[in-house]
Amino acid sequence: MRDATGTGRGRYVGILGLDGSGKTTVAHGLTERLENQGHESEFVRWRDIAARLDRVEFPHLTLRQLLVETWRTRYGGATDESSLRVQHGPPLYEDFTLARLEQAGSAYPVDVHRSGVMASALLEFVADMLIQAEFFNASVARGRVVVTDSYGYKNIMKVLRVANAIPSDDISKDLIARVSTFISDAYSSHFMQPDIGVFLRVTPEECYKRVTAQRGGVGPVEDMGFAGRAGRSSFLELQGALLVEYEQMAAKWGWHVLDVDEASPAEVLDAVNDIVVAELREARRTDGPCIGGV
């Protein structure tokens, strides 16, 4: 097994796409394929880090509690039974997950507050920043390829867009707009950008077919259910707006864009793998000889 680039430094691969675009399937497949090709690689995501209950050093405990509070705040103020279960659930991560409260929240909460939904987005950003600093960067420095199934910008901006549509006026839309600008600027920084970015372009219509076929319906914050508008048209409305936004940011960041609406999972994985392997070869060519010797 060798380091990813032959230079002593690995690469961070970020994948962006709509809900149902196949990001997780691609990320898992890419990690496995890179390992088989001789590159040290790892799949990293927040929930998996949080599940390592034997780890108590910074930032493991913090990330576990942030995960709990992200869910509790997201349903803040909602009055329906399932939302109340999440809000009033156990404060400790172990108890929260044992109660399966991550799956308990409704996709259509009643009377949810903008402030809670926006707070959940900001907590996600805090967690993503910690993961970038303490996990991604550390693994890349050891020569590994780090793959994540959903670039943090994706979900945070989606949640903020939903918060903006919620009828309650406990916080202003002007504040949400300012926070959205901050998030866009933060993820445009060198620190938060992956070395290799891939945007999987799949239409909202195709994503809806996949999501409903796999799960029987949409999940929380995948449509405008938090704002009182549910159903297929609501999903297409939200995801359509996000598609435009993600495309614009992918172009701004210089990411690879793949139109994979009609491609099979195997074809998508082949295309992404080709991009990443080509980038790793280029890194070996331009970054100089291996630091540690290969």
Side-chain angles (χ1 to χ4, degrees):
M1 197 70 68
R2 66 185 183 190
D3 71 73
T5 63
T7 67
R9 182 184 182 279
R11 289 295 186 269
Y12 161 34
V13 181
I15 299 175
L16 180 65
L18 300 180
D19 295 318
S21 59
K23 301 180 298 298
T24 301
T25 300
V26 168
H28 279 298
L30 177 64
T31 305
E32 181 178 357
R33 187 171 291 189
L34 289 172
E35 282 284 334
N36 292 338
Q37 292 168 344
H39 301 292
E40 291 191 65
S41 59
E42 60 183 311
F43 174 77
V44 179
R45 63 179 174 182
W46 184 8
R47 71 182 67 173
D48 296 335
I49 295 171
R52 301 173 192 169
L53 298 181
D54 59 317
R55 306 291 294 273
V56 295
E57 73 275 17
F58 179 79
H60 286 270
L61 286 173
T62 301
L63 289 170
R64 286 200 280 274
Q65 289 312 120
L66 282 170
L67 188 58
V68 172
E69 295 308 322
T70 296
W71 282 103
R72 285 155 61 97
T73 55
R74 186 158 297 170
Y75 288 92
T79 57
D80 58 288
E81 183 178 353
S82 59
S83 296
L84 288 170
R85 282 189 62 209
V86 178
Q87 290 176 61
H88 301 159
L92 296 179
Y93 171 83
E94 294 90 329
D95 297 329
F96 192 87
T97 52
L98 281 173
R100 301 181 63 84
L101 291 177
E102 282 188 80
Q103 293 84 34
S106 170
Y108 311 114
V110 178
D111 298 327
V112 71
H113 291 186
R114 277 184 196 162
S115 59
V117 176
M118 188 173 84
S120 75
L122 289 169
L123 290 174
E124 280 200 56
F125 172 73
V126 172
D128 204 37
M129 178 271 295
L130 286 172
I131 292 168
Q132 177 74 44
E134 302 295 331
F135 294 93
F136 292 171
N137 290 351
S139 290
V140 167
R142 294 195 299 269
R144 300 179 68 84
V145 179
V146 177
V147 182
T148 185
D149 66 338
S150 187
Y151 187 53
Y153 173 87
K154 173 256 181 189
N155 204 58
I156 294 169
M157 293 303 289
K158 180 180 66 170
V159 172
L160 288 172
R161 188 173 286 273
V162 170
N164 193 62
I166 291 171
S168 72
D169 58 359
D170 48 300
I171 58 173
S172 69
K173 291 190 175 185
D174 175 70
L175 178 59
I176 296 174
R178 291 174 184 270
V179 170
S180 298
T181 298
F182 162 74
I183 293 297
S184 294
D185 289 345
Y187 278 95
S188 296
S189 70
H190 177 74
F191 181 82
M192 296 298 288
Q193 277 287 297
D195 298 294
I196 305 169
V198 180
F199 173 50
L200 302 180
R201 191 188 188 285
V202 182
T203 63
E205 292 81 0
E206 177 62 23
C207 288
Y208 184 79
K209 291 178 185 177
R210 296 179 185 182
V211 167
T212 53
Q214 293 169 4
R215 304 198 303 262
V218 302
V221 201
E222 289 185 341
D223 65 5
M224 288 292 191
F226 271 53
R229 303 199 304 278
R232 181 177 182 276
S233 62
S234 169
F235 181 94
L236 298 180
E237 173 191 349
L238 174 60
Q239 302 292 332
L242 290 170
L243 179 63
V244 173
E245 182 176 325
Y246 296 163
E247 280 189 301
Q248 292 174 344
M249 296 308 290
K252 174 183 176 180
W253 296 332
W255 283 30
H256 300 274
V257 178
L258 295 177
D259 288 301
V260 293
D261 209 46
E262 299 180 358
S264 69
E267 290 171 332
V268 178
L269 177 56
D270 286 343
V272 175
N273 184 76
D274 288 347
I275 288 171
V276 173
V277 169
E279 291 263 9
L280 295 179
R281 287 174 179 160
E282 179 64 15
R284 295 187 71 192
R285 187 184 71 80
T286 60
D287 290 2
C290 174
I291 294 173
V294 181

